Amino acid sequence: MKLDIIKNQWLDIVFEGRNKIYGAYELRKSNTKTTVRSLIVGSVIFSLAVAAPLIASILPDSGDDVVNNDVKITTVKLPPKKQEVQPNMPPPPPPPPKVDQVKFVKPVVAKSEEITEEPPKILDLKEKKIGSETIKGDPDAVLTVDEPVGKGPVQEIIAEDNNVYNTAGIEVKPDFPGGIEKFYKFVGNNYKTPDEEGLKGKVYVTFVVEKDGSLTDIKVLRDIGYGTGAEAIRVLKKCPKWTPGEQNGKKVRVLYSLPITIQSAE
């Protein structure tokens, strides 16, 4: 009997009288199928590896941008760029006049060889303007008039008068509401004389009547002690507003002096 080892006949001879349930028998029995399957799978993988460069060259490159050649280009006219005026820049040259302008050369007495520029002739000045230089006129030029700098309303700059005037020589003197007698009465009613026996004398104070009638810069020039000067300052600080003084029709600050007579009750 001829034995074909490619087929599984030899397994029955080898495992004759043995336990075929043993795993070696089943493993060798399926060995042919496993070998054929591995050969097929290996052949496919090898074929794909060899053909991979060819397949890659056939496929299109997805990274290329698609260019649309049908786009229409439209010309857009941009507005002219606004030129900013730089500081300390010279002004632009004036436009040419409507008529020709001839430079005026001042006639001087000189030798013929010293003359560098001859004055214009009378015919050259006909229907032409005279100026500091010769300019070719433009008959189509527009007549313009230079405007003053700024177009806002012209306001008069008036410096505020903060000088302190003296009551002597001022046109309108400041006054207490109701007159100076009421001012003396106000001081007498509010001044508290120190309780010192035999105290008498005068306290001299000065103050400035402001433009709004209030009293500021109160100073004691001389007092008789015992707090008489400080009491005078206290009274003047609570004094009502005065009618301010005036000079040249305007309210001004005026210096005012006041003597206060002190006499304690005996």
Side-chain angles (χ1 to χ4, degrees):
M1 178 180 175
K2 186 178 180 180
L3 182 62
D4 190 357
I5 61 173
I6 297 176
K7 298 181 179 181
N8 293 335
Q9 296 175 357
W10 64 273
L11 287 175
D12 295 333
I13 297 173
V14 172
F15 284 92
E16 184 179 359
R18 297 184 181 184
N19 187 9
K20 294 182 179 181
I21 302 176
Y22 183 62
Y25 175 80
E26 293 295 331
L27 182 63
R28 286 172 174 78
K29 187 177 181 180
S30 60
N31 185 42
T32 303
K33 295 180 180 180
T34 305
T35 303
V36 173
R37 190 180 301 167
S38 301
L39 181 60
I40 295 173
V41 174
S43 300
V44 172
I45 296 175
F46 178 77
S47 300
L48 290 176
V50 173
L54 180 60
I55 297 174
S57 62
I58 296 174
L59 294 176
D61 189 2
S62 60
D64 295 340
D65 295 331
V66 179
V67 180
N68 186 5
N69 296 325
D70 296 334
V71 177
K72 295 182 179 180
I73 301 176
T74 305
T75 303
V76 180
K77 187 176 181 181
L78 297 176
K81 185 178 180 181
K82 186 177 180 181
Q83 296 182 354
E84 297 182 357
V85 179
Q86 299 293 335
N88 301 326
M89 291 292 292
K98 292 182 69 67
V99 298
D100 295 345
Q101 178 176 297
V102 179
K103 181 179 179 180
F104 174 74
V105 180
K106 184 177 180 180
V108 294
V109 179
K111 298 179 181 180
S112 58
E113 61 271 12
E114 295 178 354
I115 297 177
T116 58
E117 190 175 7
E118 296 184 358
K121 298 179 181 180
I122 300 298
L123 295 176
D124 297 337
L125 299 177
K126 187 177 181 181
E127 297 181 355
K128 295 179 182 178
K129 294 175 62 178
I130 299 176
S132 59
E133 58 180 342
T134 301
I135 302 175
K136 182 67 177 178
D138 182 7
D140 298 328
V142 180
L143 293 176
T144 58
V145 179
D146 293 338
E147 296 182 356
V149 178
K151 297 183 180 180
V154 179
Q155 298 180 353
E156 183 181 2
I157 300 176
I158 302 176
E160 186 177 2
D161 187 3
N162 287 322
N163 295 325
V164 178
Y165 292 81
N166 200 295
T167 53
I170 195 171
E171 294 177 357
V172 179
K173 296 181 179 180
D175 197 9
F176 186 82
I180 195 65
E181 294 299 328
K182 284 196 174 183
F183 174 64
Y184 291 145
K185 186 176 180 181
F186 167 80
V187 174
N189 293 337
N190 291 274
Y191 192 95
K192 296 180 180 180
T193 304
D195 189 13
E196 292 290 332
E197 185 177 357
L199 182 65
K200 63 179 180 178
K202 288 187 177 183
V203 177
Y204 293 91
V205 296
T206 61
F207 53 88
V208 175
V209 181
E210 297 289 343
K211 298 177 184 179
D212 62 349
S214 60
L215 305 186
T216 62
D217 199 20
I218 303 172
K219 296 179 181 178
V220 177
L221 301 182
R222 190 179 69 183
D223 61 12
I224 54 178
Y226 302 100
T228 53
E231 178 62 14
I233 294 176
R234 185 192 68 82
V235 173
L236 293 177
K237 282 185 176 181
K238 60 182 295 186
C239 179
K241 288 187 176 182
W242 289 41
T243 301
E246 294 184 8
Q247 185 74 5
N248 298 324
K250 298 178 183 179
K251 293 180 175 58
V252 292
R253 306 172 68 202
V254 180
L255 179 66
Y256 203 93
S257 59
L258 173 69
I260 301 177
T261 303
I262 305 296
Q263 185 173 0
S264 60
E266 296 181 357

